[in-house]
């Protein structure tokens, strides 16, 4: 008899079936919609930041370690949130093994000054991601889910104009904010489509209208129509990532039409499952700073058990894990997911 709950399936099938609301597999899938690179993982592979941000082969190999060493069901090779910003003219600090990249400058105070290069996808910070996805597709594409990642226009606006400036404009000059979003959504759409062409099965759209900075009304006013348009234009499976407590806008994410939402521990898993009502998959929501960084493997397992029991579709860290996170805690996510299966 086929289709049994404990039937062994590939990591890719396990992940994609859960994302699209399919049948239960041999265990809940464990994914990494954002980075699970850590100092310890770098030490085990001999591949370190900033090299893994800048060169395709190291980028792909460090990402693959999340599957090979930790056992995750997906591979996601883009660790930073700054790739588009670098391609559009921000001066970058590409970080170190203990520090993520950051933009040193915010060069676009007027959207009319934006020039999107015709060869945007050839810019080094974007080309490297596409090449890494192609490498991973060739090696793992039949077995493991390959995840890409793009920044949405709200996030790119933060990087180009400065977060404080952009949030102030949302209050004082909403038309200016709309002009930024209209212009920069083209970058998101172009890069996302290119990632699918390069080999991604799924793309994470990270747009940091975070729960503590942006209200549900502001999301609905500015971003909801933009996200609806992007979903139609990109025409591939998309997981939304927005940080913070977004429990008060989950139905807006469903209305947008995303296949999944990657959410934080601040949002109670049981309540999230109830609110989305199986109209969108949920990915998350293992706490980073308290549990994965400073907790014990048993602390991790306890949170995983809660999320699995609540009905979270894909278990994952809530966001890019802190670089000092011990690997034993990341392995505990897999161990807990396997319990009782």
């Amino acid at each position: 008899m086929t289709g049994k709950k404990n039937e062994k399936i590939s990591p890719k099938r396990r992940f994609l079936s859960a994302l699209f609301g399919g049948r239960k597999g041999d265990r809940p899938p464990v994914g990494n919609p954002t980075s699970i690179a850590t100092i310890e993982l770098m030490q085990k592979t001999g591949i370190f930041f900033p090299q893994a941000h800048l060169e395709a082969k190291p980028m792909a190999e460090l990402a693959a370690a999340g599957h090979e060493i930790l056992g995750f069901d997906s591979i996601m090779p883009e660790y930073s949130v700054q790739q588009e910003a670098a391609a559009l003219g921000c001066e970058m600090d590409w970080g170190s093994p203990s520090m993520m990249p950051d933009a040193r400058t915010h060069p676009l105070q007027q959207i009319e000054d934006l020039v999107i290069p015709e060869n945007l996808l050839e810019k080094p910070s974007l080309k490297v991601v596409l090449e890494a996805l192609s490498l991973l597709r060739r090696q793992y594409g039949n077995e493991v889910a390959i995840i890409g990642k793009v920044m949405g226009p709200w996030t790119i606006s933060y990087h180009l104009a400065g977060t404080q400036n952009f949030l102030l404009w949302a209050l004082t000059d909403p038309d200016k904010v709309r002009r930024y979003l209209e212009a920069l959504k083209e970058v998101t759409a172009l890069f996302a489509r290119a990632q699918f062409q390069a080999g991604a099965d799924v793309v994470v759209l990270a747009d940091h209208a975070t729960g503590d900075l942006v209200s549900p009304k502001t999301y609905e006013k500015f971003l909801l129509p933009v996200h609806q348009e992007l979903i139609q234009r990109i025409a591939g499976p998309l997981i939304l990532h927005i940080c913070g407590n977004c429990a008060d806008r989950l139905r807006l994410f469903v209305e947008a039409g995303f296949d999944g939402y990657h959410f934080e521990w601040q949002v109670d898993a049981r309540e999230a499952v109830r609110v989305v009502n199986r109209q969108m998959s949920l990915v998350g929501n293992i706490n980073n700073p308290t549990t994965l960084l400073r907790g014990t493997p048993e602390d991790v397992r306890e949170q995983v058990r809660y999320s699995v029991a609540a009905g979270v579709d894909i278990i994952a860290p809530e966001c890019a894990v802190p670089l000092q996170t011990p690997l034993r805690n990341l392995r505990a996510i897999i161990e807990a997911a396997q319990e009782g299966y």
Side-chain angles (χ1 to χ4, degrees):
M1 181 177 177
T2 60
K4 293 181 180 179
K5 185 179 180 181
N6 62 355
E7 178 187 351
K8 180 70 174 177
I9 62 175
S10 71
K12 178 175 181 174
R13 190 175 173 193
R14 186 184 296 125
F15 183 95
L16 294 179
S17 180
L19 180 63
F20 297 128
R23 65 176 178 81
K24 299 291 184 183
D26 53 342
R27 63 164 172 79
V30 175
N32 55 324
T34 48
S35 172
I36 54 168
T38 68
I39 294 172
E40 196 175 344
L41 197 63
M42 295 181 214
Q43 291 169 341
K44 283 190 172 295
T45 60
I47 299 167
F48 295 87
F49 292 167
Q51 182 188 26
H53 299 304
L54 304 172
E55 299 177 29
K57 191 169 183 290
M59 176 181 279
E61 289 180 355
L62 180 59
H67 170 69
E68 297 285 0
I69 294 176
L70 300 176
F72 277 60
D73 295 308
S74 62
I75 299 174
M76 202 288 295
E78 185 179 339
Y79 316 103
S80 113
V81 299
Q82 301 285 352
Q83 306 297 123
E84 293 93 339
L88 291 171
C90 290
E91 295 180 12
M92 295 299 303
D93 178 350
W94 283 107
S96 69
S98 60
M99 186 180 75
M100 284 289 194
D102 195 21
R104 289 177 173 153
T105 59
H106 308 294
L108 193 70
Q109 299 306 304
Q110 300 295 330
I111 195 60
E112 290 74 17
D113 296 333
L114 173 68
V115 177
I116 299 177
E118 291 185 6
N119 65 338
L120 180 66
L121 297 177
E122 293 297 314
K123 294 292 183 179
S125 60
L126 302 192
K127 185 177 180 180
V128 66
V129 175
L130 300 178
E131 290 179 349
L133 286 168
S134 294
L135 289 171
L136 291 167
R137 182 70 179 188
R138 288 196 293 272
Q139 185 168 357
Y140 294 98
N142 293 327
E143 180 68 15
V144 184
I146 308 300
I147 303 180
K149 185 176 72 176
V150 297
M151 297 302 111
W154 195 272
T155 295
I156 302 174
S157 296
Y158 281 173
H159 297 159
L160 292 179
T163 301
Q164 289 184 334
N165 290 338
F166 192 71
L167 290 174
L168 180 61
W169 296 337
L171 297 174
T172 63
D173 196 348
D175 287 340
K176 184 171 186 176
V177 167
R178 289 190 181 93
R179 291 196 300 273
Y180 268 78
L181 299 179
E182 283 297 304
L184 292 171
K185 71 185 180 186
E186 302 302 323
V187 175
T188 301
L190 181 66
F191 195 27
R193 290 196 300 264
Q195 290 192 24
F196 281 116
Q197 292 169 356
D201 295 301
V202 179
V203 168
V204 173
L205 195 160
D207 221 2
H208 295 87
T210 58
D212 56 339
L213 296 177
V214 176
S215 70
K217 186 175 292 186
T218 299
Y219 175 84
E220 185 173 17
K221 176 181 178 181
F222 290 107
L223 266 180
L224 177 59
V226 174
H227 283 172
Q228 288 172 325
E229 179 185 341
L230 284 170
I231 288 166
Q232 293 300 313
R233 291 176 59 189
I234 294 168
L238 292 174
I239 297 172
L240 175 67
H241 172 82
I242 296 182
C243 299
N245 190 344
C246 293
D248 56 4
R249 64 206 70 181
L250 291 173
R251 292 303 307 176
L252 293 174
F253 301 158
V254 172
E255 184 180 343
F258 288 100
D259 297 288
Y261 173 53
H262 181 219
F263 70 118
E264 292 197 3
W265 180 254
Q266 295 177 57
V267 181
D268 178 71
R270 294 184 188 277
E271 179 65 9
V273 169
R274 184 192 67 80
V275 170
V276 305
N277 194 29
R278 298 298 171 191
Q279 294 174 280
M280 174 180 68
S281 291
L282 289 167
V283 186
N285 61 332
I286 308 307
N287 176 275
N288 277 348
T290 302
T291 304
L292 288 175
L293 177 61
R294 293 190 291 271
T296 66
E298 183 52 35
D299 294 331
V300 176
R301 287 190 284 268
E302 183 177 348
Q303 283 201 356
V304 172
R305 293 180 196 117
Y306 182 85
S307 293
V308 170
V312 174
D313 299 280
I314 298 170
I315 307 302
E318 63 183 355
C319 194
V321 300
L323 293 169
Q324 294 79 15
T325 300
L327 292 189
R328 65 179 179 274
N329 284 351
L330 293 174
R331 288 194 181 99
I333 301 176
I334 298 287
E335 293 164 2
Q338 292 171 333
E339 292 177 359
Y341 282 79

